[in-house]
Amino acid sequence: MWKREEDPKPAPPVAPPTPYVTAPPPNPPAVSTRERAVLGSSLSLKGEISGAEDLLVQGRIEGRIELADHAVTIGSSGKITADVFAKAIVVEGEVRGNLFATEQILIRKAGNVHGNLTAPRVVLEDGCRFKGSVEMESPAGRKQQVPLPRAEPEARPAPPAALAAPAPAHAAAPAAATAAKS
Amino acid sequence: MRWLWQRAAPVNGHHRLAAPLSTSSLEVPHAEETVALPRHSSLGLRAALASLRANGAVPEDSSPRPERPLVLDLGPSVGANVEALASRGWRVQVSTLDLPLGSDGWGAEAQQLGSLLEEALGQPASPVSAPTLILFWDRVNYLDLKRLPLLVRALEPWCGNPTHALALVATHKEQPSQPGTFRIENEDTLSYRWMENGDPRIQSPRHRPAQLEKAMQPFRVVASWILRNGIQECLLRRDL
């Protein structure tokens, strides 16, 4: 006869939950432990700054800032006329000069920049003042870019009028643009 | 400061601002306020971006800087626009024309205009800086048909071959007294807002495409779309 399968073994008893103990992380975030130099609001400097620590500028700088692997922040009272080379750059004050970052440039709402920005990622907060060119130089980042989302045609514009080019497929019958004006 | 919605009902209802993106290295604050902005489906924007792709395509990683398509944005700096355009590998030149658009000082002398533009653009004209697309937005509504040619003449040294331009022409009888801010939401959608400044509305010039084309020669209107919200989108092209 058929051999009856043995009954499955009972599951081992579940161990009672042990209380969850939060332990301090072995390596706190690098950012929090980073040293940051501060140029106070009453200080002004002409020349070149280079080094290996983050920098907060609340004063004035005229020249060049080069902190390749670190962050540079132009504080709300900071005013610089300089080219800045850094890993990340945040602007809350005024900058006249070109900014180069290997990671990101962020112009905050209060920021005012007149110069060119080059970084893999550039963020301009609404309300900031900026004049200049923007280039997102990141071969790797560009490969990962996705197309801009296409909007669903929720509503169609008023009868479009194409003067020379053919009207889009979903557009209504072409009409003279001037004729549609009242 | 208070933002004034466009008087006419938007075509597509409202849209909510997206919070700024965040990255691992820097904390980007979320939007302090969520504002509903009127928006519309923008066939002009779609056509303008298509022209960029057609003429400059999507640049290769190794493309040298001068060969990348350049977008000259004459509106205020808008992060979403920079993000949308620069992330494609295109160069974006934000050169807000906050010159006294409607005053005599603007259209007085073309020579002066050229130097004013050089200051606004932050660089002298050169082939390297030739734009493939100029975003006039609604700036054309604040220049009459005599001053528009001065603007075009001053821009010519920056023009490439070909150069496309997107202009949003007011079609209602009145318009806000100050130029607005237009935000690229996606390839097909623009949202927009104007700031109230106590002088709410002025008479709109209501340039007709034929007038616009004449005033902006050698640009020619290749397509235009009239929207219900009082905006006519015009795509212009200039060939050498």
Side-chain angles (χ1 to χ4, degrees), chain B:
Chain B
M1 186 180 294
R2 177 170 159 247
W3 295 99
L4 182 67
W5 305 133
Q6 194 193 22
R7 188 178 56 173
V11 175
N12 286 344
H14 296 286
H15 181 68
R16 293 199 173 276
L17 275 177
L21 297 169
S22 62
T23 68
S24 57
S25 64
L26 289 174
E27 185 184 348
V28 180
H30 291 280
E32 291 177 359
E33 53 183 350
T34 303
V35 184
L37 295 179
R39 63 175 183 166
H40 68 253
S41 289
S42 177
L43 299 175
L45 175 66
R46 187 196 298 179
L49 295 180
S51 75
L52 263 187
R53 288 199 193 88
N55 294 303
V58 178
E60 298 294 329
D61 296 338
S62 57
S63 296
R65 184 178 182 278
E67 292 179 10
R68 296 184 191 166
L70 174 64
V71 181
L72 175 57
D73 187 345
L74 299 182
S77 59
V78 177
N81 297 354
V82 170
E83 175 81 22
L85 298 168
S87 63
R88 323 314 298 165
W90 301 329
R91 290 175 292 151
V92 180
Q93 174 79 35
V94 180
S95 301
T96 313
L97 278 183
D98 51 8
L99 305 168
L101 289 175
S103 71
D104 291 336
W106 166 251
E109 295 178 22
Q111 287 183 342
Q112 186 188 3
L113 196 62
S115 59
L116 285 173
L117 272 170
E118 254 187 36
E119 168 66 22
L121 298 175
Q123 59 185 9
S126 74
V128 173
S129 59
T132 312
L133 173 65
I134 299 176
L135 298 172
F136 284 101
W137 300 120
D138 63 347
R139 262 44 186 184
V140 294
N141 300 323
Y142 298 88
L143 294 170
D144 59 28
L145 293 173
K146 291 180 181 176
R147 287 171 179 151
L148 266 174
L150 298 177
L151 171 63
V152 174
R153 199 180 310 158
L155 281 173
E156 264 206 298
W158 281 273
C159 287
N161 183 31
T163 295
H164 286 80
L166 178 65
L168 307 181
V169 183
T171 57
H172 285 173
K173 289 182 180 176
E174 291 181 330
Q175 65 177 21
S177 61
Q178 296 289 322
T181 299
F182 293 84
R183 174 192 291 266
I184 298 173
E185 300 291 348
N186 56 50
E187 283 205 15
D188 303 300
T189 308
L190 284 177
S191 62
Y192 45 94
R193 61 186 177 186
W194 285 274
M195 192 163 60
E196 184 182 35
N197 67 346
D199 183 18
R201 302 191 79 80
I202 58 175
Q203 188 176 0
S204 165
R206 307 172 81 193
H207 301 311
R208 295 168 184 272
Q211 295 173 323
L212 193 68
E213 194 167 17
K214 187 176 179 182
M216 295 187 73
Q217 283 177 346
F219 281 94
R220 59 189 172 84
V221 179
V222 294
S224 72
W225 299 267
I226 299 176
L227 309 181
R228 291 193 205 98
N229 58 4
I231 294 174
Q232 179 172 12
E233 297 187 330
C234 291
L235 182 68
L236 302 101
R237 180 185 170 115
R238 171 198 181 275
D239 294 293
L240 287 177

